[in-house]
Amino acid sequence: MCAASVGTREISRHAVRAELARVAFNRFCLTGFDEVTFADLAEAAGVSRSTFLRYFGTKEDVVLFVFDPVGDVITDALDADQAGEHDWDRLRNAVEAAVTFLVRDVQELVTIVSLVDRTPALCARLREKQASWQPEIVARLRGTGSSADGSPVVANVRAAAALECLRIVLGHWSASGGQEDLGNVLDTAFAAFSTPGRQGTEAPL
C-alpha cells in the first residue's frame, strides 16, 4: 500500500475519532461521566458499541482525546527553540505552544478541563498521559540546551515540573471561566520554580 493511502486512512481515522469524541462529550456534559456507558455513547453517535470501542478503549480517552497531540507539540517546540536558552525558559515556551494548541475554542476547553478536575478517573488518566510524554521531553532536553550531557535526574525534574505547571495553569484558567490571561498565569507558575539569584536576579530551576 502506498504511503499516501496510509496517510489518508490515518486522517480519516482521526476525523472519525474527533466526531465520536464531540458527540460523547456532549453526552457526558448532559448526563454525567460516571453515568454514561459505552452503549449510551454508541447510541448517541449512531454506531455500534463495537465500532465505538475500535476508536476508543476507555471513556477517559474519549474525553482526553484533545490532549493526545500535546506531547508532540511540546517536543516539537523544544526542537525549534535551541538558541542557547536555559531549559526552564525553553520549557516555558514549549508549554505555551501546547496551551496555544489547546485553546482553540475557549468555552469547549473550559468545559473539558472542568469535567476533568471534578472526575477522579479523568485526573488519573491525564496524569498517565503526562507520564507518557515525559521521556521524550527529557530526551530533547538532554540532547540540547543546558541539560545536554547533564544529569538525567535534573532533566526529569524539570520536565515533570513543566508538565505539572501545564495542568495547574489550565485548571486555574478554567476556574476563571477562561477569563484570565494564560500567558500571565504561565509566567506566575514557572516563576514559582525560580529562586532569587545572588545579584537579585531570578535563577531558574
Side-chain angles (χ1 to χ4, degrees):
M1 182 179 295
C2 69
S5 297
V6 173
T8 300
R9 185 174 63 190
E10 285 304 312
I11 291 171
S12 298
R13 177 177 174 80
H14 180 84
V16 172
R17 293 185 85 226
E19 178 60 18
L20 291 176
R22 184 191 66 79
V23 172
F25 186 68
N26 289 338
R27 187 63 181 265
F28 289 138
C29 290
L30 286 171
T31 309
F33 181 80
D34 292 328
E35 289 73 25
V36 175
T37 67
F38 265 115
D40 296 329
L41 297 180
E43 180 182 6
V47 298
S48 68
R49 183 176 181 278
S50 60
T51 296
F52 204 106
L53 285 167
R54 281 205 300 272
Y55 289 94
F56 291 104
T58 69
K59 291 195 301 178
E60 290 79 12
D61 286 339
V62 180
V63 175
L64 299 175
F65 168 73
V66 67
F67 290 95
D68 284 352
V70 166
D72 288 338
V73 172
I74 292 174
T75 53
D76 287 348
L78 289 172
D79 284 342
D81 186 11
Q82 298 181 14
E85 291 187 83
H86 189 279
D87 285 346
W88 198 232
D89 297 318
R90 293 175 64 211
L91 283 165
R92 189 261 179 238
N93 294 337
V95 169
E96 183 171 28
V99 166
T100 299
F101 167 81
L102 288 168
V103 187
R104 288 168 290 183
D105 183 319
V106 170
Q107 190 52 54
E108 179 182 70
L109 186 61
V110 165
T111 307
I112 290 172
V113 175
S114 297
L115 178 61
V116 171
D117 282 348
R118 65 176 184 266
T119 309
L122 289 171
C123 287
R125 180 60 181 136
L126 183 55
R127 286 188 179 279
E128 288 178 2
K129 284 184 178 290
Q130 286 182 207
S132 73
W133 304 332
Q134 187 169 325
E136 196 58 40
I137 294 172
V138 170
R140 295 298 203 282
L141 294 178
R142 297 197 70 202
T144 58
S146 56
S147 281
D149 301 320
S151 167
V153 173
V154 172
N156 269 285
V157 167
R158 287 173 177 160
L163 290 172
E164 192 65 6
C165 282
L166 172 61
R167 187 189 67 81
I168 291 171
V169 163
L170 286 176
H172 181 83
W173 172 81
S174 173
S176 78
Q179 296 301 306
E180 291 208 38
D181 183 277
L182 267 168
N184 290 339
V185 181
L186 271 176
D187 285 338
T188 300
F190 273 74
F193 287 92
S194 298
T195 56
R198 291 182 180 177
Q199 304 300 320
T201 58
E202 291 292 311
L205 182 72

